Amino acid sequence: MSGESALEDPSIEIRRATVGDLPAVQAFITDTYKQSAPFKNGSRWVWQFVDNPFRPAGDAGPTVWIAVNHDRVVGQIAVQDGAVFLHGTRVEASWIVDVMIHPDFRGLGLGHRLHASVMQDRNVLITLTMAPATRRIAERADCLTLGPTRQYVYMHRLSRQTVQRYLLYKEETRPDIARLLRLFRKSVIGPVAVAAMARLATRILCLRGGNIAARQFDFDEVAHFPDELDQLWANTREAFPAIFERSAKFLNWRFCDCPDLHYRRFLMRASGQLRGYVIIRCAPSVELPAGIIVDVFTRPDDKDAIKALLTHARDMMTAEVEYLEAAASTPAFEQALQQLGFIGARSMHPTIVCGKASLKAEFATSLDEWHFTKADHDWDQIHPA
């Protein structure tokens, strides 16, 4: 079937999913996501796309758009609704997530058709991490490209076995260079040398950066975020030109109600005053042995607080994992990570597609001023390796 005839084929329907479509969507996920499919199960689907408290007023039904061929789901784009504060003004904005087309139906333009259908209901679509095909969809929709968000790693106990496991995973996802990766993985010295060099580099950077005396700060681990946090959010958000909501409502939905993922949440105070929070998790065995600094929040000009939060997160996990991951786009947070021995690993370039010209022009004035961490998008999800 040619691409042109497929696009005209009335048997391929683009529409918004219903709750009744969940079994067909789950069958599609099992067929296309392979080893990741168990971690995109029905309970997560309902939590993320049905019970999300940030959907627009009056909106009903799952925030998932599907391509259907003879009652079979062959493609989807899902949306995680949220709210961004742009220079202090609240704007409804949605994350594009779980973009997938069945291999038998790729190259037919279904991703572009799905995206156009989403745009009829959602005025602002943002993507942080994405596959090349998803970026092409955004670019065709005349997206804005934001400044870089960098992922950082702290490889204090990285082992040869973990390097080999990572290389094996990359062999499966990068068939174009699989042979070279396989040769390196099976070599005697390669993975050993990589692990040793990573550990040494981390030690050197730690010595150079030093530590902040954390005595001035007190940390409390909490099961849920208290209403008290909303005052910190209200007093702090305008210090960020562009930032997604970090209210207690959002944090409790995102990090307390989320199925399958187990987070630890810490509030930080100085002289009884709430100065920030940090959220962490240790990866389960299906992932690489990493500790993840999911979110750190405090004023960007409070350098002592930033470093204290990151130091606490690091110290809570280093004995349990081989390496740590974090992400940042704001200079003060990036600088603190570097001072603590974190090494930049890769950069993401988020995109915004906006259907309203005046709002798009406002977004264009702040392309390099967004605050992102692993709490944004659906970046922090289980990634089997």
Side-chain angles (χ1 to χ4, degrees):
M1 180 184 295
S2 70
E4 182 178 358
S5 61
L7 291 175
E8 296 172 355
D9 187 348
S11 68
I12 300 179
E13 178 189 10
I14 305 295
R15 63 174 174 83
R16 188 162 173 179
T18 67
V19 173
D21 289 313
L22 178 55
V25 172
Q26 287 300 130
F28 165 76
I29 288 172
T30 299
D31 195 25
T32 55
Y33 279 89
K34 306 302 180 184
Q35 63 178 346
S36 296
F39 309 104
K40 296 181 179 292
N41 55 40
S43 60
R44 182 177 175 88
W45 197 84
V46 170
W47 164 78
Q48 192 170 17
F49 307 128
V50 178
D51 293 339
N52 185 335
F54 291 91
R55 63 171 62 235
D59 187 74
T63 56
V64 178
W65 283 253
I66 54 177
V68 183
N69 177 254
H70 299 297
D71 297 324
R72 174 192 176 198
V73 175
V74 298
Q76 75 164 18
I77 291 181
V79 162
Q80 179 178 302
D81 287 318
V84 66
F85 282 74
L86 183 65
H87 302 295
T89 299
R90 187 181 189 275
V91 177
E92 289 184 346
S94 303
W95 294 107
I96 286 286
V97 300
D98 288 358
V99 180
M100 182 64 78
I101 306 297
H102 191 281
D104 294 346
F105 290 81
R106 290 174 186 168
L108 306 179
L110 293 182
H112 298 286
R113 292 177 61 193
L114 283 162
H115 190 273
S117 183
V118 176
M119 283 297 295
Q120 294 177 13
D121 284 352
R122 295 297 188 272
N123 191 50
V124 179
L125 299 176
I126 303 182
T127 311
L128 204 170
T129 64
M130 69 199 89
T134 304
R135 184 172 295 279
R136 289 192 293 270
I137 292 172
E139 289 172 347
R140 183 168 167 176
D142 195 26
C143 68
L144 298 170
T145 299
L146 304 180
T149 297
R150 295 181 177 85
Q151 178 165 299
Y152 288 86
V153 292
Y154 179 90
M155 298 174 286
H156 61 294
R157 291 175 53 210
L158 190 66
S159 69
R160 170 184 60 83
Q161 292 85 355
T162 294
V163 173
Q164 289 176 316
R165 185 177 166 190
Y166 174 77
L167 291 170
L168 180 60
Y169 164 74
K170 296 303 289 185
E171 287 174 37
E172 298 170 353
T173 58
R174 290 293 306 273
D176 54 327
I177 56 172
R179 184 173 178 273
L180 289 175
L181 292 170
R182 188 178 305 111
L183 289 172
F184 187 80
R185 175 173 60 85
K186 291 185 175 181
S187 67
V188 175
I189 192 63
V192 173
V194 168
M197 290 173 62
R199 296 193 300 268
L200 178 61
T202 300
R203 292 191 189 99
I204 292 172
L205 290 171
C206 285
L207 290 173
R208 187 183 68 181
N211 284 311
I212 183 171
R215 290 189 300 274
Q216 60 180 304
F217 298 105
D218 298 310
F219 288 87
D220 294 317
E221 187 166 7
V222 296
H224 290 83
F225 289 93
D227 293 341
E228 173 192 10
L229 190 135
D230 285 336
Q231 190 61 52
L232 174 69
W233 163 241
N235 293 339
T236 306
R237 64 188 180 214
E238 291 192 13
F240 298 90
I243 182 173
F244 267 82
E245 184 162 331
R246 297 300 203 269
S247 65
K249 176 183 176 180
F250 168 77
L251 295 172
N252 283 321
W253 170 75
R254 179 70 175 78
F255 300 110
C256 300
D257 299 342
C258 178
D260 299 329
L261 290 171
H262 303 286
Y263 296 99
R264 298 184 68 184
R265 300 155 288 259
F266 298 90
L267 302 180
M268 185 182 75
R269 292 182 171 84
S271 301
Q273 180 182 3
L274 185 61
R275 291 273 290 273
Y277 70 78
V278 61
I279 301 166
I280 63 175
R281 75 173 178 90
C282 291
S285 59
V286 71
E287 295 186 278
L288 294 173
I292 301 167
I293 302 177
V294 183
D295 199 23
V296 170
F297 183 75
T298 188
R299 291 188 59 86
D301 56 0
D302 194 343
K303 294 183 179 180
D304 285 351
I306 295 171
K307 200 167 183 181
L309 287 162
L310 289 170
T311 299
H312 183 75
R314 183 192 65 183
D315 292 348
M316 287 293 100
M317 294 187 288
T318 49
E320 299 182 47
V321 300
E322 290 188 16
Y323 68 98
L324 306 178
E325 291 183 0
S329 60
T330 302
F333 290 79
E334 290 195 77
Q335 183 181 28
L337 284 166
Q338 293 164 5
Q339 290 173 345
L340 290 173
F342 285 76
I343 301 170
R346 62 182 179 128
S347 294
M348 277 59 64
H349 295 272
T351 61
I352 299 178
V353 176
C354 183
K356 186 177 180 181
S358 59
L359 182 56
K360 183 176 181 179
E362 190 171 354
F363 280 129
T365 65
S366 303
L367 297 180
D368 296 315
E369 298 178 315
W370 286 68
H371 178 79
F372 291 130
T373 70
K374 281 183 173 283
D376 292 298
H377 205 179
D378 65 344
W379 193 349
D380 179 48
Q381 57 180 296
I382 292 178
H383 298 281

